Amino acid sequence: MTTHVDKYRTQEYRYQPIDQAENIANKQRILDIMHQIMEVPLAELDEVIRTGYHTDATVSVTHPINELNDLNAVGQQFWKPLRQALPDGERRDYIVAGGLYRNAHWVGCMGYYIGTFEDDWLGIPATRRVVTVRFAEGHQLRDGKIIRSYVFIDFLDLMRQVGYWPIAPSLGREMCWPPPRTLDGVILTPQDNVISQHSIERVLRMQAALGRYSGEPPTRVVLDAMETAKHWHPNFMWYGPAGIGTARGQRGYEEHHQIPFLVAFPDRKGSDVGHFIRIGDGYYAVTGGWGYLQATHTGSGFLGLPPTGRRISMRVMDFYRCDDETIVENWVPIDIPHILWQMGVDIFGRMRHQFRQNQPIRVSDWLVKEQT
């Protein structure tokens, strides 16, 4: 009998049933906090943050914001710049799922901020046109307040909408992620704990199968050992981050993401950092790690780059929709700017170079300057 190495440490997981009323209340609490942050007048933003976050809260945001270790930083370095960039912005949640993981209450959210891009953000020049800012989040609640958050903002996708693209063309299709086909991702009704357990355990069996990759060139035999056809719906949708793009079905997934990724990082595996979220909520499941997945960049092709030989860690979340037998849809936020930074590529510097400025400047100001 073949013994497989548990590279992603899925065998450590134990599902914890959750009281449904409490789970719904947790999800509604997160929705209330997040929507208040986007909707209150800016003068009241600090108070909403103090009310919604625990005094000792820490928030991790995708590169280049990274780690925020006090509430003042959370407001001044993340929420206030987002509100100023999109002064008429609104939040649209596509998935809100909750559960218990390691005896802590977690809520995972995914969706878009939509609004007029009125002010530069992290040097990304404002266009005064509508943009869609993709977000994904994992929030841990304690006593009704957020004690720990992981926030993914797809800054590369925002650059794309503004008109700058600082890396090689994506292999998949760059597009807005749609909501779940079933339009039931915001889960505010009681769910069967048995179905919830089956969903997350189905996902973890799939992840365990991914860990069987031998490190050899990904031929058909090598790929089939990871049992994609067994765990996924024949026409599954895989929604990747900007830089990778979206794919459909096994062939699209292999050609546009899996093969380039395996070639580039043949030794990838989980680490002692661990997942921060592993939950099932009805037919949905959410997993995520902030530096949990680690690998050495020894192959070419991923994001159009040659191998650098560098050891990197990855910040990744996965939102899954399952049916009774398979995984049907998978939304995959990845901190691509952070991966590229570790590989020696500063996409924000490249973007500034593209519009020939070393400092951030509004598009309208740049155009005026060019005429004088």
Side-chain angles (χ1 to χ4, degrees), residues 119-257:
D119 200 14
D120 298 352
W121 192 16
L122 297 172
I124 304 173
T127 60
R128 297 175 184 162
R129 294 182 176 181
V130 174
V131 292
T132 55
V133 179
R134 184 183 295 149
F135 72 81
E137 303 159 348
H139 301 290
Q140 181 188 348
L141 281 165
R142 181 186 298 170
D143 301 324
K145 292 192 174 187
I146 299 170
I147 185 67
R148 189 74 176 96
S149 280
Y150 298 89
V151 180
F152 291 75
I153 300 291
D154 200 330
F155 292 119
L156 182 57
D157 187 61
L158 181 57
M159 291 182 190
R160 177 186 67 83
Q161 295 174 67
V162 168
Y164 300 100
W165 189 253
I167 61 173
S170 303
L171 296 178
R173 173 62 63 187
E174 292 295 347
M175 55 184 280
C176 272
W177 290 352
R181 183 179 179 181
T182 47
L183 299 179
D184 58 359
V186 180
I187 310 169
L188 297 178
T189 56
Q191 302 298 305
D192 187 330
N193 272 305
V194 173
I195 295 176
S196 300
Q197 181 174 357
H198 287 172
S199 295
I200 184 61
E201 290 182 350
R202 178 177 296 112
V203 163
L204 293 181
R205 285 194 297 271
M206 178 276 297
Q207 292 182 357
L210 291 177
R212 296 172 191 168
Y213 176 58
S214 64
E216 300 172 358
T219 62
R220 183 74 266 152
V221 172
V222 171
L223 291 170
D224 286 346
M226 290 180 280
E227 300 180 333
T228 300
K230 175 181 178 180
H231 298 288
W232 296 82
H233 189 278
N235 293 321
F236 72 88
M237 290 298 302
W238 190 89
Y239 307 106
I244 298 174
T246 289
R248 182 172 176 84
Q250 183 171 348
R251 186 181 68 178
Y253 169 66
E254 289 175 349
E255 293 181 354
H256 301 148
H257 173 61

Side-chain angles (χ1 to χ4, degrees), residues 267-282:
D267 67 345
R268 86 284 184 272
K269 63 180 181 179
S271 68
D272 291 338
V273 173
H275 275 95
F276 63 82
I277 187 170
R278 277 177 168 171
I279 59 171
D281 198 355

Side-chain angles (χ1 to χ4, degrees), residues 39 139 192 280 284 364:
E39 294 166 7
H139 301 290
D192 187 330
Y284 289 83
S364 56

Side-chain angles (χ1 to χ4, degrees), residues 271-326:
S271 68
D272 291 338
V273 173
H275 275 95
F276 63 82
I277 187 170
R278 277 177 168 171
I279 59 171
D281 198 355
Y283 284 102
Y284 289 83
V286 184
T287 65
W290 195 262
Y292 162 73
L293 187 62
Q294 299 182 7
T296 311
H297 184 216
T298 57
S300 62
F302 184 68
L303 302 176
L305 292 173
T308 63
R310 298 188 180 190
R311 186 73 177 171
I312 69 169
S313 62
M314 302 181 193
R315 303 163 173 177
V316 184
M317 282 191 79
D318 282 274
F319 293 77
Y320 300 92
R321 182 178 72 85
C322 303
D323 59 20
D324 288 324
E325 302 295 336
T326 61

